[in-house]
Amino acid sequence: VDTAFVRSQVDIPPKKGVMLIDSRPAARQYDPGHIPGAINIPDTQFDKHVDKLPQDRNTLLIFYCDGVECMLSHKSAFKAEQLGYTKVRVYAAGYPDWIANGHMGAISVPYLKKLMDEGAPMTLIDSRPKDRKYDKGHIPGAISLPDSQFDKLVDRLPADKASPLYFYCEGLSCR
């Protein structure tokens, strides 16, 4: 499948009847960047993580990895078909194509914690409503920049446009 097809299937929260699966190793590739909403089932550990797959064998499973030269998604898709899944697709261009087409990536919580522990330069932005969420608790060091007020508060962003920005939210406020 191509980027447009994957984009039509990706949503937060994930669409019912669709599962996006990153077949790359967690620490080296999935954690520092993956398609939002994707779960991680590394191909080399597929058999250990089959419990993450849905019970419904008619669920659309979209596997991806690190581009057309990477075969991890194809191997995982084949294993899923062997288990009886009937709607298995491969996004062969994978994560590099996703980013190249202007889509945002997501990072894992363990990766964010690692960056914070290392004192990596970043601006952490809580996009949730300030009074209902941020004021009741947020990740230390995060600034409040609610999505609904982004245009009014954009001056809170760092002047250095090369500075990494990490946004977070929860539930339906992520839309």
Side-chain angles (χ1 to χ4, degrees):
V1 297
D2 63 11
T3 306
F5 179 82
V6 174
R7 179 64 201 111
S8 74
Q9 300 302 318
V10 171
D11 206 356
I12 303 291
K15 283 185 174 181
K16 186 178 171 85
V18 179
M19 182 177 275
L20 185 60
I21 304 160
D22 188 320
S23 300
R24 302 172 303 157
R28 286 193 340 261
Q29 294 177 303
Y30 175 84
D31 289 347
H34 57 271
I35 299 173
I39 67 162
N40 184 230
I41 303 178
D43 178 68
T44 57
Q45 299 175 10
F46 188 90
D47 296 336
K48 293 180 190 174
H49 296 286
V50 292
D51 60 320
K52 290 182 178 180
L53 294 173
Q55 295 293 317
D56 182 359
R57 300 285 201 254
N58 291 315
T59 301
L60 173 60
L61 303 180
I62 305 170
F63 291 88
Y64 74 92
C65 56
D66 211 24
V68 294
E69 300 296 321
C70 178
M71 290 292 112
L72 297 175
S73 57
H74 295 278
K75 290 177 183 179
S76 292
F78 179 73
K79 292 173 188 176
E81 287 174 338
Q82 296 274 9
L83 292 172
Y85 287 90
T86 59
K87 295 180 182 174
V88 178
R89 304 292 183 271
V90 173
Y91 175 29
Y95 187 67
D97 185 65
W98 180 259
I99 296 301
N101 277 286
H103 300 294
M104 286 218 187
I107 63 172
S108 69
V109 171
Y111 186 74
L112 177 62
K113 181 174 182 340
K114 176 181 175 279
L115 291 174
M116 292 174 72
D117 289 348
E118 292 171 351
M122 74 168 73
T123 301
L124 188 58
I125 301 162
D126 186 329
S127 337
R128 303 172 306 158
K130 184 178 182 325
D131 56 342
R132 291 192 333 247
K133 298 291 183 170
Y134 178 87
D135 289 344
K136 294 181 179 174
H138 57 273
I139 298 172
I143 64 169
S144 176
L145 191 61
D147 183 58
S148 62
Q149 298 175 349
F150 186 86
D151 293 337
K152 294 178 192 172
L153 303 174
V154 73
D155 61 331
R156 292 186 181 177
L157 294 174
D160 176 9
K161 304 273 189 228
S163 178
L165 305 176
Y166 295 96
F167 292 81
Y168 73 92
C169 59
E170 69 182 355
L172 294 178
S173 68
C174 285
R175 302 184 111 206

